[in-house]
Amino acid sequence: NSPLKDLCLKTAQWPDQDDLMNWKNSQRQFFFHTAQITPEQQQNWFKGYLERKNDYMFMVFTENIKIGCLAVRLLDEEWDIYNVILGKSEYGKKGYMSRALRQVLRFAYQTHPFPIRLKVLKKNPAVSWYQKNDFRIISEGDDYHYMEHNRASLIS
């Protein structure tokens, strides 16, 4: 049996607030928004998220343990990957988040077949992880890379 057999993605629900806030706060140096997020700010963000069409925050589970999250939203005929966070570091480097990302990519392409892109800070160690997961740098700003997924990689 593969240790990665049991992987489940569920859309974020109100009880996920603490995990989302704590995970983002603990890794905030890797995000564009670096200020500490308060419970009130988290709840306000989540209320807005629930009202937005084509914005999906997924919680990643294995064996009923919540290990991380990742989100995708449709912005002007392109998908934007955001808030990719491994919340439980002991599950890192085992392929869980890569498998979860591939599921989200397939979901996005099947929902609307638009390009999938993301912005990531150059100092974020996830840059190389995105590259391993078939994203390539298409442009850059002073402190970030703008990356696009190679859709053909999901077909092979």
Side-chain angles (χ1 to χ4, degrees):
N1 284 350
S2 164
L4 298 179
K5 184 178 178 188
D6 184 20
L7 183 77
C8 177
L9 273 62
K10 299 177 184 175
T11 55
Q13 303 297 316
W14 199 259
D16 296 315
Q17 293 303 299
D18 285 346
D19 287 326
L20 290 168
M21 180 184 69
N22 292 333
W23 293 345
K24 185 122 184 218
N25 281 337
S26 71
Q27 299 179 39
R28 67 184 187 271
Q29 73 272 23
F30 301 125
F31 291 92
F32 290 91
H33 178 87
T34 57
Q36 187 86 10
I37 298 167
T38 66
E40 181 182 50
Q41 288 170 322
Q42 178 64 38
Q43 291 171 7
N44 287 337
W45 175 85
F46 199 76
K47 285 177 193 170
Y49 156 75
L50 291 173
E51 295 172 2
R52 286 190 293 274
K53 187 179 177 187
N54 294 315
D55 190 346
Y56 307 92
M57 169 64 71
F58 294 100
M59 306 308 292
V60 181
F61 291 82
T62 183
E63 298 174 356
N64 292 318
I65 299 166
K66 193 184 320 175
I67 65 166
C69 63
L70 66 161
V72 62
R73 59 190 166 195
L74 191 59
L75 302 172
D76 300 324
E77 297 196 354
E78 72 179 46
W79 288 104
D80 174 47
I81 298 286
Y82 73 101
N83 277 2
V84 177
I85 306 171
L86 175 64
K88 296 195 182 279
S89 59
E90 62 270 28
Y91 289 89
K93 303 198 184 307
K94 297 182 186 319
Y96 291 108
M97 292 301 289
S98 291
R99 275 190 50 207
L101 177 62
R102 281 193 298 278
Q103 287 184 19
V104 169
L105 294 170
R106 283 188 189 99
F107 165 79
Y109 284 131
Q110 289 169 4
T111 304
H112 294 288
F114 297 127
I116 300 177
R117 299 182 176 133
L118 59 87
K119 282 185 182 175
V120 60
L121 290 172
K122 290 178 180 179
K123 67 180 179 181
N124 189 327
V127 171
S128 61
W129 180 78
Y130 286 121
Q131 289 172 319
K132 285 183 213 165
N133 282 283
D134 302 309
F135 281 82
R136 64 182 176 85
I137 297 168
I138 57 173
S139 67
E140 51 187 78
D142 290 340
D143 63 346
Y144 69 88
H145 295 299
Y146 190 47
M147 304 180 81
E148 181 173 85
H149 182 254
N150 173 13
R151 184 176 184 170
S153 68
L154 283 179
I155 299 165
S156 57

